[in-house]
Amino acid sequence: MADMTVIDKLIELHNLSKAEYLELLQYREDEEAVGRLQAEAVRLRKQYYGIKVFTRGLIEFTNYCKNNCYYCGIRRGNPHVNRYRLTRDEILECCRQGYGLGYRTFVLQGGEDPYYTDERMAEIIRAIKTEFPDCAITLSVGEKSCDSYRLFKEAGADRYLLRHETADESHYRSLHPAEMSLANRKQCLFDLKKLGYQVGAGFMVGSPGQTLSNIAEDLLFLQELKPEMVGIGPFIPHHDTIYAEEKAGSVDLTLFLLSVIRIMLPKVLLPATTALGTLDPRGREKGLSVGANVVMPNLSPVENRKLYELYDNKICTGEEAAECRGCLSRRVESAGYHLVEERGDALR
Ligand code: SAM
Ligand code: FES
């Protein structure tokens, strides 16, 4: 095998330069290198989190979106989506079911839907916090003003997921319409950090046009932002987008990057994503075996699940919440880990 100083350096220093990340990526199919990175990632994950796996109950509460991200199945420009919104009471009912099943974090995710004004969002957050004071609330509702983020925080939100999608300006341009900007997305992430949220950034692996240099930029950006959570999953085409004929991202490269990110940010909360489970029937178990420590089962009402279709063939759209919890629990145990009933905050 070639000289692996760049791997030693990552393990020792937890950060690299862009040129070094590019060099590291050359090892992505080298069995020995992949094995070393994986072993170190698992060692760190066990040092900080033992064999615990945290669960987040995902509530996809609206599939309306004012944005038009070219890769996304529910973007505004797709006329074939049957749109839905959940009421405050329906969202609370999802939380009740979830609480009974052991969830202590609820993730409210949706398109950027102007129906949910800041005040409506704050009211939903307050209602959840009042009924479930021992639970964490994670929001994933896109780009807002710093004032909106502050209002949500004051209402009780704890965490925020906003993938940066790609840290390269021209790649960002090719995936999004002109009215969106990488600068604003990054600004949102820094605002959220400043406001005291536990923040999650991330990107799709194998998104259309993505190069290894882009991935190296993504890793550098994560190194700069130091998010508490990182969401990465393979890109999967959706039949009603301009990228319908593109290839899906690589499961192996996603697994490689999960290990790298665990080593870069040893205490990070790192989900084994649904997209990974969609491309490979054991994708989520594999994710846990290379450094991931979070799973995000679906708590949305079964009748809405198929309508929140970001990409084709999304798994877990037919099961009741209880079935999802049971299935995930068995999968997690089969990988040698244990699903816990805890908020699972980031270690600082
Ligand atoms: N609207 C919020 C936002 O923009 O952050 C949250 C919802 S958005 C649908 C959640 C994530 O889904 C995006 O950050 C994107 O990375 C991912 N996603 C969208 N389309 C996808 C696709 N075709 N394949 C894989 N992931 C996709
Ligand atoms: Fe808004 Fe995908 S374009 S959620």
Side-chain angles (χ1 to χ4, degrees):
M1 189 179 42
D3 170 23
M4 291 214 300
T5 46
V6 76
I7 296 181
D8 296 324
K9 194 166 173 189
L10 178 72
I11 290 175
E12 204 176 304
L13 301 180
H14 307 286
N15 65 65
L16 297 175
S17 66
K18 179 171 178 192
E20 289 166 335
Y21 277 124
L22 260 176
E23 193 187 331
L24 181 73
L25 286 164
Q26 304 308 322
Y27 288 108
R28 66 195 182 282
E29 285 168 5
D30 178 317
E31 233 174 85
E32 193 181 337
V34 170
R36 262 199 78 201
L37 288 166
Q38 177 180 341
E40 177 62 8
V42 168
R43 190 189 71 75
L44 288 167
R45 170 271 190 259
K46 288 200 170 157
Q47 175 179 338
Y48 292 108
Y49 295 104
I51 60 164
K52 286 182 185 179
V53 172
F54 300 123
T55 49
R56 316 312 193 185
L58 181 63
I59 304 170
E60 298 155 338
F61 69 99
T62 172
N63 70 353
Y64 282 85
C65 189
K66 69 178 172 63
N67 286 339
N68 213 15
C69 306
Y70 298 143
Y71 45 82
C72 182
I74 63 169
R75 74 193 195 291
R76 162 188 94 218
N78 184 0
H80 305 299
V81 183
N82 201 344
R83 307 278 173 177
Y84 72 89
R85 295 185 172 110
L86 300 189
T87 63
R88 189 187 71 153
D89 287 347
E90 286 169 329
I91 294 172
L92 278 170
E93 193 43 46
C94 293
C95 296
R96 281 180 204 123
Q97 275 204 25
Y99 194 88
L101 291 166
Y103 293 98
R104 296 296 177 266
T105 292
F106 302 118
V107 181
L108 298 183
Q109 188 182 87
E112 291 193 21
D113 180 356
Y115 169 83
Y116 297 91
T117 57
D118 287 357
E119 216 13 81
R120 280 195 176 123
M121 276 313 295
E123 201 199 309
I124 292 168
I125 296 164
R126 278 186 220 110
I128 298 176
K129 272 288 174 178
T130 306
E131 194 168 330
F132 307 100
D134 55 333
C135 291
I137 298 181
T138 304
L139 299 179
S140 179
V141 291
E143 298 173 31
K144 306 270 174 189
S145 70
C146 192
D147 284 343
S148 306
Y149 288 149
R150 184 177 298 110
L151 181 73
F152 302 159
K153 186 88 183 45
E154 285 165 1
D158 304 277
R159 309 184 189 137
Y160 207 102
L161 303 179
L162 185 76
R163 290 183 174 182
H164 63 280
E165 311 298 359
T166 170
D168 180 271
E169 186 66 50
S170 70
H171 188 219
Y172 192 92
R173 282 272 57 79
S174 74
L175 295 174
H176 302 94
E179 67 267 18
M180 293 181 74
S181 84
L182 176 58
N184 192 55
R185 202 131 181 119
K186 285 184 171 175
Q187 186 57 50
C188 287
L189 284 162
F190 286 109
D191 286 346
L192 288 160
K193 270 226 130 178
K194 199 177 60 197
L195 289 166
Y197 281 91
Q198 296 172 42
V199 171
F203 57 94
M204 293 177 287
V205 177
S207 58
Q210 185 185 57
T211 61
L212 291 177
S213 167
N214 296 155
I215 296 178
E217 290 279 351
D218 287 325
L219 296 174
L220 268 190
F221 176 66
L222 293 178
Q223 197 167 282
E224 178 195 351
L225 179 70
K226 296 193 180 22
E228 285 75 19
M229 309 171 280
V230 174
I232 64 162
F235 160 76
I236 305 176
H238 183 284
H239 60 277
D240 272 329
T241 64
I242 56 168
Y243 295 130
E245 302 303 326
E246 289 282 324
K247 266 197 357 223
S250 152
V251 169
D252 286 341
L253 181 55
T254 306
L255 296 173
F256 177 88
L257 290 170
L258 284 171
S259 292
V260 170
I261 292 166
R262 167 64 61 204
I263 299 170
M264 287 171 60
L265 303 165
K267 298 178 183 170
V268 75
L269 293 161
L270 197 57
T273 56
T274 305
L276 195 54
T278 296
L279 283 191
D280 181 325
R282 289 188 58 81
R284 285 166 299 174
E285 292 88 321
K286 289 180 183 174
L288 296 174
S289 311
V290 300
N293 64 339
V294 172
V295 287
M296 298 175 65
N298 206 316
L299 270 186
S300 315
V302 173
E303 59 271 27
N304 301 110
R305 290 203 194 167
K306 279 202 188 349
L307 304 177
Y308 197 84
E309 191 191 49
L310 310 179
Y311 47 79
D312 290 342
N313 305 316
K314 190 173 159 202
I315 52 168
C316 306
T317 54
E319 290 81 3
E320 296 289 341
E323 291 173 66
C324 271
R325 176 91 187 180
C327 164
L328 234 341
S329 170
R330 284 189 297 279
R331 287 172 180 273
V332 167
E333 300 285 337
S334 82
Y337 293 93
H338 184 61
L339 215 56
V340 293
E341 285 188 22
E342 294 178 24
R343 276 173 55 118
D345 286 295
L347 299 171
R348 304 263 186 181

